[in-house]
Amino acid sequence: MTVPAATQRNVAEADADVIVVGAGPAGSTTAFHLAQAGLDVLLLEKTTFPREKVCGDGLTPRAVKQLIAMGIDIDAPGWVRNKGLRVVGGGMRFELDWPQLASYPDFGLVRTRQDFDEILAENAVRGGVRLLQGVNVTAPILDDRSGHIVGVVAKKDGEEVSYRSRLVVAADGNSTRVSLAMGLHKREDRPMGVAVRTYFTSPRHDDDYLETWLELWDGDTLLPGYGWIFGVGDGTSNVGLGLLNTSESFKGMDYRDLLKRWVKSMPPEWGYVEENMTAPIRGAALPMAFNRQPHYTRGLVLVGDAGGMINPFNGEGIAYAMESGHVAAETIVQALGRVTPAQRERVLRAYPQTLKDAYGGYFTLGRGFVELIGHRGVMDFATRHALPHPRLMRFALKLLGNLTDRRGDASDRIINALSKVAPSA
């Protein structure tokens, strides 16, 4: 539903320079950086904290870098550090440390989404952002002449309210009601993943490595995806799996049943049995490789999952949510500093290209990767022939995690060159 601007009440106390819809990692990061630049920011969250989100809870060095940049105290209780990735597959199990780079820290973190998002939202509030919870945005407010979004209509405490701003940021996830109302539908030529996870009490709750299993079997079929075991440090493990829609097995798959069958194959002393389950099995869609574009149109800026900014190589979304939020904030600050509407539009229309320059080629490589492993036998071949070679696996860790220096070693230069020459996503 699009609501004409002329019919809306002007709620003066809710007006802002920028409205950010959604207080997940993308929205809170965007809001924080906008407020740090002196803009008046209104952050609207449809739920109330604390609230749960389906996630592996693992944070790579890319995400850690963003947390440090925002001044988040990652040495406080509840943050669990890890050294790298433990890979299980082909009858082997070995550990790969995060690479030593100038661009990113050499450690990752685990923090449950039960309070991770709230920590980021509270940090944004400390930075000057106005956060409203329990506000469910239902429609954009459009300027009658230009068609630009100039605010949003929402439901709060059972009543319809309106909020106005100079720009709106859609950080409302894969379902992104605001983007859909502005005519931005997902692209069917982009991969989509599904992740399911639960928590178990387990002696493996305290682990120095994130653990990923490269072999997910459905009977005799090796599926394109991976499983994970991430120690949360509070007596529980986050155990889950992710699958890609590039396989014939994707449609009709009972993901929850697959997770149950997978954990049954694990050693009983790990405790991954139903009576140790502390939460139901929940699932979520993973929109990948810019599956919704353009990332700017008529006063609306897309960040995070709303713009399909999940890495197709490994399903990582939090780092790209925060990075895109940072980039969006920098763009918006520059745009709102311009004098004329034409000048502001010129800056804002450069935002999609900025994202493509940063991730486009790499995401294109990722799309090719997921198409390849979707073919029967390819995943099995890769698992059997790549895992025995540690040097090759260290290269794969950098590639799949997008962890390189601009002028690093030979593997960095190869990955950067491939990303540069690949067509932009």
Side-chain angles (χ1 to χ4, degrees), residues 7-24:
T7 67
Q8 292 304 308
R9 295 181 296 112
N10 185 9
V11 186
E13 63 271 19
D15 284 351
D17 291 320
V18 182
I19 290 173
V20 180
V21 181

Side-chain angles (χ1 to χ4, degrees), residues 92 94-97 385-397:
M92 294 176 287
F94 57 90
E95 294 169 348
L96 297 167
D97 288 351
H385 293 279
L387 289 177
H389 301 282
R391 182 175 295 180
L392 181 58
M393 289 307 298
R394 285 193 291 271
F395 174 84
L397 178 65

Side-chain angles (χ1 to χ4, degrees), residues 43-375:
L43 180 59
L44 305 179
E45 168 58 34
K46 68 178 181 180
T47 64
T48 57
F49 293 114
R51 57 112 165 95
E52 189 178 27
K53 279 292 183 72
V54 176
C55 186
D57 301 333
L59 303 167
T60 70
R62 290 189 75 101
V64 175
K65 178 178 181 177
Q66 292 299 315
L67 293 171
I68 293 172
M70 290 190 290
I72 302 293
D73 183 6
I74 57 175
D75 293 320
W79 297 94
V80 181
R81 293 198 180 202
N82 56 73
K83 299 177 180 178
L85 197 64
R86 181 182 301 113
V87 180
V88 180
M92 294 176 287
R93 175 188 299 263
F94 57 90
E95 294 169 348
L96 297 167
D97 288 351
W98 297 118
Q100 298 287 329
L101 300 170
S103 302
Y104 303 101
D106 63 350
F107 64 94
L109 294 166
V110 173
R111 184 88 191 203
T112 68
R113 294 293 293 275
Q114 182 70 26
D115 65 355
F116 176 76
D117 291 16
E118 185 174 14
I119 290 170
L120 295 190
E122 289 176 345
N123 187 66
V125 170
R126 286 193 298 272
V129 173
R130 289 181 291 135
L131 170 66
L132 294 182
Q133 302 181 55
V135 179
N136 186 17
V137 172
T138 58
I141 301 172
L142 301 184
D143 180 81
D144 293 329
R145 294 182 178 180
S146 68
H148 276 53
I149 186 170
V150 292
V152 295
V153 178
K155 288 290 183 66
K156 180 174 173 58
D157 299 326
E159 294 186 0
E160 184 175 279
V161 293
S162 61
Y163 307 97
R164 294 174 175 275
S165 62
R166 301 170 69 185
L167 284 171
V168 174
V169 176
D172 47 348
N174 176 56
S175 58
T176 186
R177 184 177 292 183
V178 176
S179 302
L180 290 171
M182 294 287 287
L184 300 180
H185 299 278
K186 68 179 181 180
R187 295 181 55 162
E188 299 299 334
D189 62 343
R190 295 293 188 265
M192 178 69 74
V194 169
V196 293
R197 67 96 178 97
T198 187
Y199 295 89
F200 295 94
T201 56
S202 171
R204 298 202 60 201
H205 74 98
D206 191 12
D207 197 335
D208 286 337
Y209 289 84
L210 302 177
E211 184 166 295
T212 182
W213 291 47
L214 299 184
E215 291 180 304
L216 287 176
W217 293 91
D218 183 26
D220 295 330
T221 302
L222 183 61
L223 302 173
Y226 66 95
W228 69 77
I229 300 173
F230 296 166
V232 181
D234 63 353
T236 66
S237 298
N238 181 315
V239 182
L241 55 86
L243 292 175
L244 296 159
N245 67 350
T246 52
S247 167
E248 296 177 359
S249 305
F250 186 83
K251 293 182 179 179
M253 173 69 67
D254 186 336
Y255 309 104
R256 290 168 175 80
D257 181 67
L258 179 62
L259 177 59
K260 292 177 181 178
R261 286 186 279 125
W262 177 51
V263 297
K264 282 182 179 179
S265 69
M266 297 177 185
E269 60 268 22
W270 291 0
Y272 300 143
V273 292
E274 193 162 352
E275 52 265 35
N276 290 341
M277 194 181 295
T278 63
I281 298 175
R282 299 186 186 277
L286 304 176
M288 297 177 171
F290 294 159
N291 83 327
R292 185 173 280 106
Q293 298 182 38
H295 293 115
Y296 171 75
T297 182
R298 294 183 292 143
L300 181 70
V301 178
L302 275 59
V303 294
D305 287 9
M309 298 180 200
I310 290 180
N311 182 348
F313 277 109
N314 64 1
E316 179 182 12
I318 291 178
Y320 299 93
M322 292 192 290
E323 288 177 9
S324 63
H326 197 170
V327 173
E330 291 179 338
T331 303
I332 292 169
V333 168
Q334 290 300 320
L336 295 186
R338 299 298 195 266
V339 176
T340 68
Q343 291 171 337
R344 290 193 288 272
E345 279 295 296
R346 189 175 299 115
V347 175
L348 291 165
R349 287 175 180 169
Y351 170 68
Q353 188 60 49
T354 300
L355 293 179
K356 289 184 177 183
D357 290 344
Y359 308 122
Y362 176 78
F363 280 178
T364 296
L365 294 177
R367 287 163 53 203
F369 171 79
V370 299
E371 287 292 337
L372 187 63
I373 65 173
H375 295 292

